[in-house]
Amino acid sequence: MCRVVDLKQAVLAKNDSVAHTLRAELGARGTTVVNLLSSPGSGKTALLERELVLARGRGVPVAALTADLATENDAVRLARSGVPVKQVLTDGLCHLEAGMLGRHLDGWMPEDTRLLFVENVGNLVCPASYDLGESLRVVLASVTEGEDKPLKYPTAFGLAHLVVVTKTDIAQAVEFDEAAFRAHVQQVNPGVEVVLTSARGGQGAGVLLDRALAVGDGGPAHAPVMAQQHGRHRHHHHAESPGHGHAPGAGHDHDHGHGHDDSPGSGRAAEAGHGPVSGPTHPHSAAVQTR
């Protein structure tokens, strides 16, 4: 049992090291990474598509990378926004890792990208433990998932810089208790902002984009209490870059187990002046050309 725990800690430590380097490299070129986590069916693809359309309309250089176990459906949907989109197929792995992300960005993401939205695999367990080099971690939950979702997945919600509620246009129909949900969020992550959105009705449109731009411009991100607790692995701050300030990343409390083999995404950072490079992990991906 101890050997299993040690292996997981080693995997996560290696991932955090790669994430730290990736965050510094992307920060140096002026790119802010936004990591989106949620359960399957939460509506994050619909919300992200709307935010990408708004970003393009405002002239903000953005790109999106979406991860799934199978199909390129989400990439096809996001490509309708007209921004660069890439699909990553994880071959059954239930989360992205920093090394995987770095390798898929290398040679694909436009140099002037200001915001990179990463739509993680639909899962609130495994992805919560993996730093992707993000400066803004967003956890989404739809009104249909139950007000106790934050209590059931305390690590995911506890490490979030921002919590987004989706599908509010049907909140009344499903008897969503907003007050109870907010109370449960505050229980695991005191002080974090909760934003109400509806991709269909337009509520909260642009809020995610605004928060991401603010962090990229050096504004303070929420500091989760869980991230400040003493632990084995912590995120490092977003690297300073021209036109961008210093924004904190989320910390990780890697204390929960996984029901699968947590194989590490291996890799090394690229030389200065080059894009991030990582080792050969999960080679399947597809770039959807939209321009």
Side-chain angles (χ1 to χ4, degrees), residues 42-51 77 165-169 196-205:
S42 67
K44 66 178 178 294
T45 304
L47 178 65
L48 179 55
E49 181 182 358
R50 191 176 186 111
E51 296 297 297
R77 290 175 59 187
V165 178
T166 61
K167 304 183 182 182
T168 57
D169 52 297
L196 304 181
T197 67
S198 169
R200 177 178 296 179
Q203 182 179 11

Side-chain angles (χ1 to χ4, degrees), residues 228-253:
Q228 300 174 51
Q229 295 173 347
H230 295 290
R232 292 185 178 87
H233 306 287
R234 294 179 179 225
H235 278 218
H236 298 275
H237 286 190
H238 189 285
E240 290 194 40
S241 58
H244 294 269
H246 207 69
H252 281 264
D253 183 10

Side-chain angles (χ1 to χ4, degrees), residues 68-92:
D68 271 310
L69 276 67
T71 82
E72 298 176 7
N73 295 345
D74 287 352
V76 172
R77 290 175 59 187
L78 294 177
R80 296 183 303 199
S81 66
V83 310
V85 173
K86 187 172 188 178
Q87 178 78 56
V88 173
L89 302 181
T90 65
D91 283 345

Side-chain angles (χ1 to χ4, degrees), residues 33 43 45 72 78 93-94 113 142 152 161 163 224 262 266 271:
V33 178
T45 304
E72 298 176 7
L78 294 177
L93 192 64
C94 64
T113 302
S142 72
K152 290 182 176 180
H161 296 116
V163 174
D262 281 323
S266 61
E271 298 283 334

Side-chain angles (χ1 to χ4, degrees), residues 85-108:
V85 173
K86 187 172 188 178
Q87 178 78 56
V88 173
L89 302 181
T90 65
D91 283 345
L93 192 64
C94 64
H95 60 274
L96 281 174
E97 298 174 3
M100 295 166 61
L101 177 62
R103 182 174 59 80
H104 286 296
L105 296 184
D106 187 30
W108 166 73

Side-chain angles (χ1 to χ4, degrees), residues 48 52-53 55-56 60-66 74-87 105 107-118 286-291:
L48 179 55
L52 294 177
V53 170
R56 189 182 183 197
V60 179
V62 297
L65 182 145
T66 181
D74 287 352
V76 172
R77 290 175 59 187
L78 294 177
R80 296 183 303 199
S81 66
V83 310
V85 173
K86 187 172 188 178
Q87 178 78 56
L105 296 184
W108 166 73
M109 190 175 67
E111 286 293 330
D112 67 342
T113 302
R114 187 174 176 188
L115 296 177
L116 171 65
F117 288 94
V118 178
V288 181
Q289 301 298 329
T290 62
R291 291 182 178 176

